[in-house]
Amino acid sequence: YVIEFATFAVYFRQVHNWNEATLASVAQTAGDVLGAIMMQVLPVFFSSDYNPDELGCFWRCFHHLTAQPYNLTFILSTWILFNLGLTIPSLPVAIVAQIFMGTTYVYCSKWTTDMNLFYSLGDSKVFMSLQVYCRNADALGGSVAGLLGTALFTVDPVAPFVFSTALACAVCLAYTVGFCARLGFGDDIELAEEKRSRRLGKKRVSSWATVSTKVEKMEKGDDDENDEGREGS
């Protein structure tokens, strides 16, 4: 995002001959505002109070692609899409890509924080440590991206976005493969992590005041099976 932020004004002028710096800046800000609005409006129209197991195949798959941890795979895919959009020699397409890249950034920041919150298991110190790591990485990456984006732009105006596309592809692949190997696909993240802990012979200790209903049901089901096994023997 920093690469696009550092080069969008000169990019639109040189590549698309668009001299409206004010409108370009408005488009740059509009995506962030749109993301904030979507976060408030979408939950009103699309309730999250449903059982994914009762959905059809398509919607169940869509649910898991937009739920933790694969919601970040989804958002990384949009990074790829919108960076590619900026390489297309069409001003309307480039403007749309620019706007929605801001929206993607807002959702990426929100969902990354949600992941940190989940893996902190309610421990505020762990959560703050994860947040510090993320913010430091964000600041360092932004500094490098600003310099690199400018340098690549002097080589070719499209080069920064080609590089961003390739980087987003690599990160998306590594992230998705890593979580597929860790948790598989198709389970609620809480349930999947609980299964993984049991498989490894470890106990997840959470500081949350409440425990996931699904985990409680799974544990109750296992206890019932054990009781039935004892009665049968």
Side-chain angles (χ1 to χ4, degrees):
Y1 186 59
V2 173
I3 286 180
E4 183 271 338
F5 190 84
T7 59
F8 78 92
V10 65
Y11 169 77
F12 281 122
R13 178 178 175 81
Q14 291 190 15
V15 176
H16 296 286
N17 197 29
W18 193 32
N19 299 320
E20 297 292 339
T22 302
L23 292 179
S25 299
V26 170
Q28 181 68 31
T29 307
D32 300 52
V33 176
L34 178 62
I37 294 174
M38 287 174 63
M39 285 183 181
Q40 299 300 318
V41 172
L42 289 182
V44 176
F45 294 97
F46 300 97
S47 174
S48 59
D49 185 19
Y50 60 87
N51 184 356
D53 296 332
E54 296 177 356
L55 299 175
C57 181
F58 174 80
W59 288 111
R60 186 166 61 250
C61 182
F62 180 79
H63 165 80
H64 291 302
L65 282 174
T66 54
Q68 293 177 325
Y70 297 108
N71 54 353
L72 290 179
T73 294
F74 176 80
I75 214 68
L76 285 166
S77 299
T78 63
W79 280 120
I80 297 169
L81 178 65
F82 298 139
N83 274 293
L84 282 175
L86 286 165
T87 66
I88 295 174
S90 169
L91 180 58
V93 172
I95 292 174
V96 170
Q98 178 200 18
I99 292 173
F100 281 103
M101 192 176 288
T103 305
T104 292
Y105 177 77
V106 171
Y107 269 95
C108 185
S109 299
K110 170 67 166 57
W111 287 348
T112 300
T113 301
D114 289 345
M115 283 288 285
N116 289 342
L117 186 61
F118 172 78
Y119 278 106
S120 71
L121 294 176
D123 190 322
S124 59
K125 292 183 179 179
V126 173
F127 174 69
M128 290 305 299
S129 295
L130 292 172
Q131 286 292 92
V132 168
Y133 291 144
C134 285
R135 297 288 75 82
N136 287 342
D138 186 39
L140 178 61
S143 301
V144 174
L147 296 173
L148 182 61
T150 305
L152 288 172
F153 190 89
T154 60
V155 177
D156 188 302
V158 177
F161 308 114
V162 173
F163 172 79
S164 296
T165 301
L167 180 61
C169 283
V171 173
C172 182
L173 181 63
Y175 176 89
T176 305
V177 170
F179 268 102
C180 279
R182 178 185 177 93
L183 302 179
F185 182 82
D187 277 333
D188 174 80
I189 187 173
E190 180 73 49
L191 186 61
E193 284 290 352
E194 186 69 24
K195 286 180 178 178
R196 178 177 179 272
S197 297
R198 291 188 173 200
R199 197 165 57 245
L200 297 176
K202 298 179 179 179
K203 182 176 177 61
R204 295 181 76 232
V205 180
S206 175
S207 300
W208 298 116
T210 59
V211 182
S212 169
T213 304
K214 288 188 176 182
V215 174
E216 289 180 345
K217 288 182 178 178
M218 185 183 72
E219 291 177 346
K220 186 176 184 301
D222 289 345
D223 292 337
D224 291 340
E225 289 177 3
N226 293 334
D227 290 339
E228 291 175 2
R230 292 192 193 97
E231 290 174 2
S233 61

